[in-house]
Amino acid sequence: MSDSPCLIRPLQMSDKPEWARLWQDYLAFYDTELPEAVYDHTFERLLAVGESEPGCFVVDVREADGQETPALAGLVHYLYHAHCWKLGPVCYLQDLFVDPRYRGKGLGRRLIERVHGQAGEDGVTDIYWMTQEFNEPARRLYDRVGALTPFIKYVRSA
């Protein structure tokens, strides 16, 4: 990638192949595979407009790389939800991924800041996210942009 600035923008319909590539790489990092139907459903929801629908920003590097077609270097998925301790909603930053070829350029931080800015515009003041304990590169970033909490996550499936 050249020194040209990249664009962080909302997801577009034409991004589906590049978005799917990034999300597949993200899921592989966490040893997870999902059926194609989940990709399709998630992508549709990311483009939908609605209070309970998730949002997505992507890092578009096509201009920086001199390409005409979308070339995405990163993504972030987020969603707002009600919170029993707050008068308004909170934001859960669910997925954050930057293609390894573009890491070390501040793109993860910029994606988090873009969600933070959007949340602020939408009147949402609190953002939270999780990562696995072993994900040290992400934790170094998160330690700079957020505060580690003492909470432990439990899960139970149906």
Side-chain angles (χ1 to χ4, degrees), residues 3 10 27 40 45 48 54 59 66 68 75 78 80-81 83 86 90 92 102 104 108 118 134 138 142 144 147 150:
D3 291 334
L27 294 170
D40 293 341
R45 291 190 65 213
V59 179
E68 291 184 24
L75 62 78
Y78 66 96
Y80 302 149
H81 65 86
H83 194 290
K86 310 274 183 186
V90 297
Y92 175 46
Y102 295 95
Q118 185 65 54
F134 68 80
Y142 300 159
R144 291 192 304 271

Side-chain angles (χ1 to χ4, degrees), residues 41-103:
H41 180 71
T42 299
F43 190 78
E44 288 173 16
R45 291 190 65 213
L46 291 168
L47 293 176
V49 177
E51 223 173 88
S52 64
E53 298 300 338
C56 177
F57 291 110
V58 293
V59 179
D60 188 333
V61 293
R62 76 180 122 191
E63 290 181 21
D65 283 346
Q67 299 178 35
E68 291 184 24
T69 58
L72 303 184
L75 62 78
V76 63
H77 299 155
Y78 66 96
L79 55 106
Y80 302 149
H81 65 86
H83 194 290
C84 293
W85 296 7
K86 310 274 183 186
L87 294 175
V90 297
C91 177
Y92 175 46
L93 194 155
Q94 187 169 28
D95 304 312
L96 175 69
F97 182 76
V98 173
D99 185 313
R101 296 173 293 170
Y102 295 95
R103 291 187 184 157

Side-chain angles (χ1 to χ4, degrees), residues 6-70:
C6 58
L7 174 65
I8 296 185
R9 60 168 174 77
L11 186 69
Q12 300 171 354
M13 180 64 78
S14 60
D15 294 327
K16 187 172 184 182
E18 284 286 293
W19 167 85
R21 175 187 59 82
L22 289 171
W23 201 37
Q24 182 177 31
D25 290 350
Y26 170 78
L27 294 170
F29 176 80
Y30 286 111
D31 294 321
T32 300
E33 292 182 23
L34 296 174
E36 190 68 30
V38 175
Y39 280 81
D40 293 341
H41 180 71
T42 299
F43 190 78
E44 288 173 16
R45 291 190 65 213
L46 291 168
L47 293 176
V49 177
E51 223 173 88
S52 64
E53 298 300 338
C56 177
F57 291 110
V58 293
V59 179
D60 188 333
V61 293
R62 76 180 122 191
E63 290 181 21
D65 283 346
Q67 299 178 35
E68 291 184 24
T69 58

